[in-house]
Amino acid sequence: FILRSYERYVSTTHWHWYLVNTANLFKMDNEEIVTAADASDMNDVDLEGDAPDASQLPSVEEVRMNQSLAPDANETKRRRKKCYLWSSVVLLMALLGLIIGVSVSKSKSRSAGSAQSAAPPAPRPTYSPPSPTSTRPAPTPVPEMTGAERVKAAEAFLMTTGVSSEDDLKRSGSPQHLALKWISKEDSLRVPIPSNPEDLGTYKAQKFVQRYALATFYYSTEGDSWFYPFSFLSGKDECEWYEIHTEGEEVYFWGAHCEGGTDEGTVSQIWLPNNDMAGTIPQELEQFTNLRVFALEYNLNITGTLPDAFHSMPDLSVIVLSNNMIEGKIPSSFKKLSNLEFLALDDNQMEGNLDHIKNTDTIKYVYLEDNFFAEPLSDSTFAGWKKLHQLDLSDNEFRGTVPASLFNHEHLTVLDLHDNDLTGPIPDIPTAQEKLNYLALHKNSLSGPIPSTIKHLTALTDLDLSHNQLTGDLQENLKHLDLVYLFLGENQFDANPVPAFISEMTSLTELSLKKCNLHGSIPDSFGALSDLFLLDLDKNKLTGTIPDSLGDLDNLIVLMLNRNRLTGTVPEALGNLPALGVLLVDGNDGLTGSLDFMCSDTGGQGTFFALSADCGGTSPTIDCNSECCNICCGDPDEKCDDMGWTANYDPIWELSYQRYRFEFDMERRMRE
């Protein structure tokens, strides 16, 4: 799924941002709930006041007994009066006590009501027997640590466990020092700080360590300047420091994403593309032992060397650090990446060799182009990569020969070794290779003929062998390939006419035969190559006229016929080509006539990126006003006889090795 998602992602030209709402879904209203603890507390409330005990009053039986024991009536009357008197006193005292008790009770009730006026009415409690006295001592409450105490405890744990070094933690302004201060004093989540170093690696310490490590990563990559913060250093759980990006049915998590949710989740993905990140990648990255994806492509300003922090990441399968300014060598801990499948370190300033990834037998996609890697390539270099699908080592300083064993990789679809220091012949191709569709070996020093076994690359669509020292004939076996892109220019082929088989390659969209020692005329049959949008025949010895049939190439964008020996006039049919933006016809002394029709209101496209002709100097051979021809060769200030007009083709893996623009070496034109 990761690789499929990445393939979908890299073909996308528009990025959309979606915010993730992480609201609490289950909220309880405390004002509507009376807990069991609240109810038990109510059992001790005295609602009856301090009334005297009813047992203090004489009973009816006692009164009757006193009456039956009276000796005579007078004595009875006397005693009755005395009893009435004492009874009245007792009743009066009881009544006064009851009144006082009720008053006190009401007073207490008012006092409680004024203190909790917002509380709902409590039910009248019923009697409950007293709880038995516990013999267990009451737990001693743990006081909340102050900020300074948390800093001290966190620093001790991080140093003792080796998560960060003492120097980094104590150096004011370091990413580690800032992260320590944040998680100890400023983080509203107040993650518990583990005290036992033996807890490292357990869930008890996991949340603290990974939150601290992410904070260190944030400060180390100048998080305050990120284009988008992805909730980093917010009060959310660190497993919620991400946003969701969708592209069709695919869903991507940009930021820090966890497996296992927020409670027990561990960081499994850090993906922050094109986010204006700078600074360096910290050593604390090694704390993410469950990491699967680590991608920081197109941040442009991440510098320094890669930390040797990949020794405990058995699940890491995708590393994408393209288009930054990372220096140094591939870390030795890459040897431990037993599940690595996708490695993109392209467009950096890295150097060294491939020793630490040679034995990674799970690897499928390797993109190391545009660096300073240097070592002799041999069959043993790639012997361990049995699952290899795409390999791009272009624009480096690799030496040696093209390893023949690369063509034995049955899954290989892309092989790009261009712009290195490779020498020797192109090796023979085994008959078993049926997957390779893109082969780029240009800008090396390869010699010898194109092997006839190249016809065994039956799936090949893109072939670039230009800018080498190849000799012999243009191999006719090429006609057996259904190519859409063929660049053979600037080699040392034998002098020959334009090969007839070229006209049979009707799938071609780009054809460059620049400086191929061609002579004779331009075949009229080229007009049948209806899909062409680039035709480069520059710097040959072609003669005759420009065929009118080229005016049938409605998709043509670039047409370079300069520096030949063509004669006659430029066909007006070229003025009707709807997409033509580059037309070079300079350096043909036999061409005459006017080119103004290319920019007229009734024909032509008006404005060209480049329209060159011999229309300058004291004796121009072509008439073309300056508003139409923006390059008039013959003028002393105009550079024309140069090699800057090369349709450089340096595709990138992010766009599936498809051309996305035309780029000519204008700086080279200015230098020459």
Side-chain angles (χ1 to χ4, degrees):
F1 170 76
I2 291 172
L3 297 179
R4 185 171 67 253
S5 298
Y6 233 97
E7 289 170 359
R8 179 70 59 86
Y9 156 69
V10 299
S11 65
T12 302
T13 57
H14 300 285
W15 293 354
H16 306 283
W17 300 89
Y18 295 157
L19 299 178
V20 176
N21 294 318
T22 54
N24 294 323
L25 299 180
F26 302 99
K27 253 183 145 178
M28 300 184 69
D29 187 353
N30 291 331
E31 294 183 357
E32 297 177 1
I33 297 174
V34 177
T35 65
D38 295 332
S40 64
D41 290 340
M42 294 177 187
N43 293 332
D44 297 327
V45 178
D46 182 6
L47 298 181
E48 300 299 328
D50 297 328
D53 192 345
S55 62
Q56 296 176 3
L57 298 177
S59 66
V60 175
E61 287 76 11
E62 290 176 331
V63 174
R64 288 177 178 175
M65 183 177 294
N66 288 335
Q67 290 177 346
S68 63
L69 293 177
D72 55 32
N74 292 332
E75 183 64 17
T76 299
K77 289 180 181 180
R78 186 179 61 79
R79 290 183 177 180
R80 184 176 295 173
K81 288 181 181 179
K82 187 176 180 179
C83 182
Y84 286 164
L85 177 61
W86 283 108
S87 297
S88 299
V89 172
V90 171
L91 287 171
L92 180 61
M93 292 177 62
L95 182 61
L96 289 173
L98 181 61
I99 294 172
I100 293 171
V102 172
S103 299
V104 172
S105 176
K106 289 183 177 180
S107 176
K108 289 181 179 180
S109 178
R110 289 193 196 99
S111 177
S114 62
Q116 299 180 358
S117 59
R124 183 179 178 89
T126 58
Y127 171 79
S128 60
S131 301
T133 305
S134 174
T135 59
R136 182 181 301 173
T140 304
V142 179
E144 176 71 21
M145 288 192 294
T146 64
E149 291 172 336
R150 283 178 60 85
V151 169
K152 185 176 180 180
E155 183 181 65
F157 179 81
L158 294 170
M159 286 193 302
T160 305
T161 55
V163 173
S164 293
S165 70
E166 181 177 359
D167 289 343
D168 287 338
L169 287 167
K170 291 185 177 296
R171 188 173 68 253
S172 179
S174 72
Q176 293 79 5
H177 181 82
L178 294 172
L180 171 65
K181 178 183 175 183
W182 174 79
I183 199 170
S184 300
K185 301 173 68 175
E186 301 168 6
D187 183 9
S188 62
L189 199 59
R190 303 287 284 184
V191 176
I193 299 173
S195 57
N196 189 348
E198 295 181 358
D199 290 336
L200 184 66
T202 67
Y203 172 72
K204 184 176 182 179
Q206 170 188 297
K207 299 296 285 184
F208 170 78
V209 171
Q210 76 174 6
R211 192 170 179 86
Y212 162 78
L214 282 175
T216 303
F217 175 81
Y218 175 87
Y219 286 116
S220 187
T221 55
E222 301 183 13
D224 290 342
S225 300
W226 289 3
F227 177 77
Y228 197 79
F230 295 100
S231 299
F232 270 63
L233 302 198
S234 70
K236 295 180 179 180
D237 187 281
E238 68 277 5
C239 288
E240 296 179 353
W241 291 356
Y242 68 89
E243 307 292 349
I244 291 180
H245 168 69
T246 61
E247 183 61 39
E249 296 181 356
E250 300 291 345
V251 178
Y252 309 104
F253 299 95
W254 287 356
H257 187 253
C258 295
E259 288 185 359
T262 59
D263 292 336
E264 299 182 5
T266 56
V267 175
S268 61
Q269 176 177 296
I270 298 176
W271 191 1
L272 297 163
N274 195 27
N275 202 38
D276 290 343
M277 301 171 74
T280 60
I281 300 171
Q283 181 68 31
E284 284 73 11
L285 184 74
E286 65 186 346
Q287 301 304 321
F288 306 119
T289 56
N290 292 321
L291 200 62
R292 295 178 180 272
V293 176
F294 183 52
L296 308 176
E297 67 268 34
Y298 284 91
N299 279 291
L300 305 182
N301 292 311
I302 295 178
T303 59
T305 60
L306 287 180
D308 201 15
F310 299 88
H311 45 80
S312 297
M313 298 181 182
D315 298 324
L316 187 58
S317 60
V318 175
I319 299 177
V320 186
L321 302 174
S322 311
N323 289 271
N324 284 290
M325 299 178 66
I326 299 171
E327 303 173 341
K329 301 178 180 180
I330 296 175
S332 61
S333 56
F334 269 45
K335 290 180 179 180
K336 302 291 186 179
L337 298 176
S338 56
N339 283 297
L340 186 63
E341 296 184 15
F342 196 110
L343 177 62
L345 303 177
D346 55 286
D347 295 275
N348 281 287
Q349 299 176 14
M350 299 187 69
E351 59 185 9
N353 55 45
L354 310 183
D355 287 351
H356 299 318
I357 58 174
K358 285 180 181 178
N359 296 320
T360 308
D361 57 5
T362 56
I363 205 156
K364 296 180 179 179
Y365 302 88
V366 181
Y367 307 109
L368 304 180
E369 67 268 24
D370 291 291
N371 279 288
F372 300 100
F373 291 112
E375 69 168 293
L377 297 184
S378 64
D379 289 335
S380 63
T381 306
F382 312 103
W385 295 356
K386 300 298 185 183
K387 299 180 180 179
L388 190 63
H389 285 62
Q390 296 188 2
L391 175 64
D392 192 341
L393 303 181
S394 61
D395 295 289
N396 278 286
E397 298 174 0
F398 289 107
R399 307 181 302 279
T401 60
V402 177
S405 62
L406 280 173
F407 296 101
N408 292 323
H409 286 72
E410 58 180 335
H411 303 292
L412 191 65
T413 61
V414 170
L415 178 57
D416 191 347
L417 302 178
H418 86 265
D419 205 356
N420 279 287
D421 298 322
L422 301 178
T423 58
I426 300 173
D428 283 331
I429 314 297
T431 57
Q433 200 1 296
E434 299 176 350
K435 294 287 185 68
L436 190 67
N437 57 57
Y438 181 91
L439 177 60
L441 301 175
H442 55 291
K443 295 185 179 179
N444 281 289
S445 298
L446 302 178
S447 57
I450 299 174
S452 61
T453 53
I454 200 166
K455 66 182 179 181
H456 295 152
L457 300 176
T458 56
L460 198 65
T461 59
D462 293 57
L463 176 63
D464 196 339
L465 303 177
S466 61
H467 298 269
N468 279 291
Q469 300 171 18
L470 299 176
T471 57
D473 293 336
L474 290 176
Q475 181 53 246
E476 189 171 352
N477 282 323
L478 291 172
K479 72 179 181 181
H480 299 295
L481 303 178
D482 192 19
L483 296 175
V484 297
Y485 177 93
L486 177 61
F487 269 45
L488 299 175
E490 300 203 47
N491 277 291
Q492 300 173 10
F493 294 120
D494 295 343
N496 277 294
V498 178
F501 71 83
I502 295 291
S503 300
E504 302 175 24
M505 304 178 74
T506 55
S507 296
L508 282 173
T509 60
E510 298 187 56
L511 174 63
S512 176
L513 300 176
K514 181 190 296 287
K515 198 180 178 183
C516 278
N517 205 13
L518 299 176
H519 59 78
S521 61
I522 300 173
D524 189 67
S525 57
F526 270 21
L529 302 176
S530 58
D531 291 333
L532 272 184
F533 57 79
L534 181 144
L535 176 59
D536 181 5
L537 300 175
D538 174 31
K539 197 67 173 178
N540 282 290
K541 300 173 183 177
L542 298 174
T543 57
T545 61
I546 300 173
D548 288 339
S549 62
L550 296 185
D552 297 331
L553 302 177
D554 289 340
N555 295 309
L556 204 60
I557 299 173
V558 177
L559 177 58
M560 293 188 283
L561 304 176
N562 51 321
R563 296 187 294 185
N564 279 287
R565 300 173 183 177
L566 300 174
T567 58
T569 60
V570 176
E572 292 193 11
L574 297 183
N576 297 321
L577 294 177
L580 193 63
V582 174
L583 174 61
L584 307 182
V585 294
D586 62 277
N588 289 285
D589 294 340
L591 283 180
T592 59
S594 173
L595 281 182
D596 288 343
F597 67 87
M598 295 295 299
C599 305
S600 67
D601 294 336
T602 57
Q605 303 308 303
T607 302
F608 283 82
F609 172 75
L611 176 55
S612 73
D614 294 324
C615 52
T618 56
S619 54
T621 59
I622 294 286
D623 294 329
C624 189
N625 65 69
S626 59
E627 294 181 359
C628 186
C629 290
N630 49 19
I631 302 175
C632 271
C633 297
D635 288 339
D637 296 331
E638 192 64 66
K639 298 288 292 184
C640 289
D641 189 16
D642 60 72
M643 297 301 296
W645 289 106
T646 298
N648 296 333
Y649 184 31
D650 192 2
I652 57 178
W653 65 267
E654 293 94 328
L655 296 178
S656 301
Y657 288 89
Q658 301 297 314
R659 182 189 284 281
Y660 62 100
R661 65 179 178 181
F662 285 98
E663 181 180 278
F664 296 96
D665 194 352
M666 302 307 292
E667 292 185 5
R668 181 175 176 178
R669 292 193 70 241
M670 297 302 294
R671 291 195 303 268
E672 292 186 356

